[in-house]
Amino acid sequence: MSKHKKNGLLVVISSPSGGGKTTVIHRIIEMDDRRFTYSVSMTTREKRKGEVDGRDYFFVTKTEFEEYIRRGDLVEYEQVHDWYYGTPREFLLKSLQAGLIVLLDIDVYGALNIRQMFGEKFLSIFLKPPNKAVLMQRLLDRGSETREQINKRMKRVEKELQMSGRFDHIVINDRLEDTVEKVIEIILSKYNRNK
Ligand code: ADP
Ligand code: 5GP
């Protein structure tokens, strides 16, 4: 048996809504590289078309979510927009113990909240849209929210962009292929250093 201690890595990928987190994470998971896994968050928001319970999110009621909070089963949680979102504790800790790279798609406040808990095992990457007009257009093209919901999300953008300086890395999400390549390079560089 190997005497080397396996060191997992927790990688938070954040951005304003529509910044490309889901797309980039899907691309990485689709590579089928067994070192990577994805932490499925829990939420009280309604399921969007095409989303699958247990794959995209664990969709629960507000009462169920509050029960999770009460039991301490979430590493962190936030109220984002009108809904609760949180990171289940058990899967995250087990994956890190197994030496995996765990990808988290969480908002900027959640990201900064868990940094202290994980020390050297933590890496944060902020995906920045090329500019606000492109971000708005991507949200409109995605077509998963009403115009009113998009406006609400756009109101948070300035604050979220200001917080980008507190992340370990900022990657401008212009051409998708370049973004994915850069994100993987940053992650593996840290993972291999930690080994
Ligand atoms: P988030 O998960 O951060 O809210 P998404 O991954 O859903 O963002 O991306 C928002 C929309 O922008 C999606 O429709 C996605 O296909 C598109 N998108 C993401 N990255 C790029 C990119 N680099 N170039 C063009 N479109 C992109
Ligand atoms: P969406 O509704 O578009 O899927 O996500 C809205 C926001 O909630 C995004 O910024 C996303 O990163 C964030 N989010 C998703 N899961 C979590 C989580 O577990 N914790 C926190 N803090 N934010 C999350």
Side-chain angles (χ1 to χ4, degrees):
M1 209 167 74
S2 165
K3 287 206 180 85
H4 294 289
K5 193 166 165 278
K6 277 197 262 176
N7 259 327
L9 184 66
L10 189 163
V11 181
V12 167
I13 301 194
S14 267
S15 76
S17 185
K21 300 174 290 286
T22 314
T23 310
V24 169
I25 289 173
H26 274 174
R27 286 285 181 107
I28 297 176
I29 295 297
E30 274 168 12
M31 294 186 323
D32 223 15
D33 178 330
R34 297 292 158 88
R35 289 172 294 183
F36 288 92
T37 188
Y38 175 63
S39 161
V40 178
S41 291
M42 186 166 284
T43 186
T44 58
R45 86 147 156 73
E46 71 264 35
K47 210 191 289 176
R48 287 185 199 136
K49 210 167 147 244
E51 283 183 329
V52 176
D53 189 28
R55 183 193 71 184
D56 300 295
Y57 280 105
F58 294 107
F59 295 95
V60 297
T61 63
K62 190 160 178 261
T63 313
E64 286 168 327
F65 197 101
E66 284 168 349
E67 185 60 21
Y68 268 82
I69 299 175
R70 203 185 56 73
R71 287 203 306 258
D73 287 343
L74 301 173
V75 178
E76 62 78 39
Y77 67 93
E78 283 283 334
Q79 207 154 4
V80 189
H81 313 298
D82 295 329
W83 317 106
Y84 275 131
Y85 294 84
T87 304
R89 180 180 297 278
E90 196 183 348
F91 176 84
L92 182 59
L93 297 187
K94 282 199 169 146
S95 303
L96 286 177
Q97 272 164 16
L100 297 175
I101 301 169
V102 192
L103 302 175
L104 266 71
D105 165 348
I106 69 178
D107 86 309
V108 294
Y109 304 96
L112 299 169
N113 273 342
I114 57 173
R115 145 165 280 142
Q116 297 92 323
M117 292 182 222
F118 294 94
E120 265 311 293
K121 287 190 176 172
F122 180 89
L123 175 68
S124 59
I125 301 175
F126 189 89
L127 295 182
K128 211 171 188 171
N131 56 56
K132 280 198 219 162
V134 168
L135 179 66
M136 180 82 168
Q137 195 54 51
R138 285 181 185 167
L139 279 171
L140 289 169
D141 291 344
R142 185 169 75 182
S144 52
E145 286 93 15
T146 62
R147 189 70 194 221
E148 191 193 339
Q149 285 168 326
I150 290 178
N151 287 339
K152 210 166 177 181
R153 286 174 180 231
M154 288 302 295
K155 281 204 186 114
R156 285 170 64 100
V157 172
E158 197 51 53
K159 244 191 167 159
E160 290 167 334
L161 291 177
Q162 278 167 14
M163 288 174 77
S164 62
R166 292 163 67 181
F167 282 70
D168 299 323
H169 297 268
I170 297 176
V171 176
I172 312 266
N173 181 19
D174 197 346
R175 201 174 148 264
L176 184 60
E177 280 66 30
D178 296 341
T179 306
V180 173
E181 197 177 307
K182 183 82 194 146
V183 167
I184 292 172
E185 186 189 311
I186 292 169
I187 294 172
L188 290 182
S189 156
K190 167 97 174 167
Y191 184 62
N192 291 329
R193 258 186 286 133
N194 275 9
K195 255 200 222 165

